[in-house]
Amino acid sequence: MAVPAAPRAVAHRGDPYRHRENTLPSLRSALAAGADAVEVDVRLTRDGVPVLLHDPTLKRLWGLDRPLAALTLADLRRIEGPAAPLRVPTLAEALALVAAAPPTPAGRPPLLMVDLDDAGPAAAACAEAARCGAADRVVYCGPPSAMLAVRRHAPAAEVSLTWRTPLAPPPSLLADLRPHLLNLPFGLVTPVLVDRARGAGLQVSAWTVDVRRTMARVLRTGVVSLTSNRIGVLRALIDAAAAAGPPG
C-alpha cells in the first residue's frame, strides 16, 4: 500500500514571528525551518511591478501612509534608501530566492504560494513567474475572481480556491476553475467536511493556524496542506506524525 504524502507545510508570509512578513529575510527563515511552500501576498506598484505586500498601503509595516498603487518601484526604492536593511521585495526576487533554496524535507523543490486578494495582479504575477522560468514552482490561492484570472493567464497552474463557507462551491465555478485544492479557514475544517470534499474530487487545505494543539487537530482531519505563522512548530508536528506512522 502506498504511503500517503505528508501534508504540505505552508509558511504564512514567511516566518513573521522572527522577521518582518513578506520580506526576503522572512522567506529565507521559513525555508530554513522546513517550509514546503512559502505564502506571500502580491500587489502591483503604479508601474505594474508585482511586489510582496499584504496591505494596500505601506503604513502598518513600513510607516508610510501611502498607497502602493500610487508609487512606482523607483519611488519605493528612493523611499527605502540604497542602504535600507529591509525593503519591499519584488515577486522576481522572491522567485529567485525560492528557486535557489535546497529541497524540502520531503525531497521536493520548495514552492512559492502567491496569494491574490483580487484579479488585478493576476496577469502580471503569472507573466513574472513565466519570465523567471518558475511557473512550475508557483501555486496560487485566492477568491474565485482572482483564481479565474489566474486560470486564464496560466492554464496549467496549481490553483487553491479560498472559500469561506462550509457550503460547497457551485458546480459551475468548479467546472470553470478546476481547482487543485479547496482552501478553508481552519475553524470550518472537520473530518466530515474533508470527506465530503473528497467525494466531490477536491482536497482540502486550511489556514492560518498558530496554536500547536489546533494544528494537530486540523492535521487529523485529513487536510493535505496547512498554513501557519509558526512554520517551525508545524514542521515538527508533521515530521513527528510521519515518523509515528498511521494510527493503529
Side-chain angles (χ1 to χ4, degrees):
M1 179 182 296
V3 176
R8 180 186 286 170
V10 181
H12 188 239
R13 305 179 193 171
D15 197 359
Y17 284 151
R18 295 180 180 272
H19 300 277
R20 187 175 298 183
E21 68 179 56
N22 281 319
T23 62
L24 297 182
S26 193
L27 271 63
R28 286 192 195 96
S29 182
L31 292 166
D36 297 307
V38 182
E39 182 263 3
V40 295
D41 303 282
V42 171
R43 293 183 179 272
L44 298 181
T45 61
R46 182 161 62 86
D47 50 342
V49 178
V51 299
L52 274 53
L53 189 69
H54 176 269
D55 302 350
T57 78
L58 293 136
K59 182 169 179 150
R60 176 174 65 91
L61 288 178
W62 303 97
L64 180 68
D65 196 7
R66 296 277 301 278
L68 177 68
L71 302 170
T72 65
L73 183 63
D75 293 333
L76 271 178
R77 296 299 178 249
R78 280 194 295 271
I79 290 164
E80 293 159 339
L86 285 173
R87 66 178 188 172
V88 177
T90 64
L91 177 58
E93 290 171 327
L95 289 167
L97 187 154
V98 171
T104 70
R108 294 187 290 266
L111 302 172
L112 192 70
M113 178 178 285
V114 173
D115 190 355
L116 302 174
D117 282 346
D118 56 59
C126 294
E128 193 76 317
R131 186 186 68 80
C132 294
D136 61 342
R137 301 287 292 272
V138 180
V139 299
Y140 298 88
C141 67
S145 61
M147 295 303 95
L148 287 167
V150 166
R151 184 58 77 221
R152 288 194 298 272
H153 295 288
E158 179 180 324
V159 164
S160 182
L161 173 62
T162 299
W163 199 249
R164 297 174 182 270
T165 168
L167 299 176
S172 58
L173 173 61
L174 295 177
D176 290 341
L177 183 55
R178 307 183 312 281
H180 293 73
L181 297 173
L182 190 62
N183 192 33
L184 296 169
F186 74 88
L188 294 181
V189 178
T190 65
V192 171
L193 188 149
V194 170
D195 285 345
R196 192 165 67 229
R198 283 177 180 157
L202 288 169
Q203 301 283 5
V204 174
S205 61
W207 50 275
T208 298
V209 187
D210 293 342
V211 176
R212 185 191 303 265
R213 65 177 177 274
T214 307
M215 291 179 194
R217 177 189 68 77
V218 176
L219 289 170
R220 288 194 297 269
T221 66
V223 296
V224 299
S225 177
L226 186 59
T227 299
S228 177
N229 289 302
R230 301 176 68 200
I231 190 62
V233 176
L234 176 57
R235 177 81 269 159
L237 276 174
I238 290 174
D239 290 349

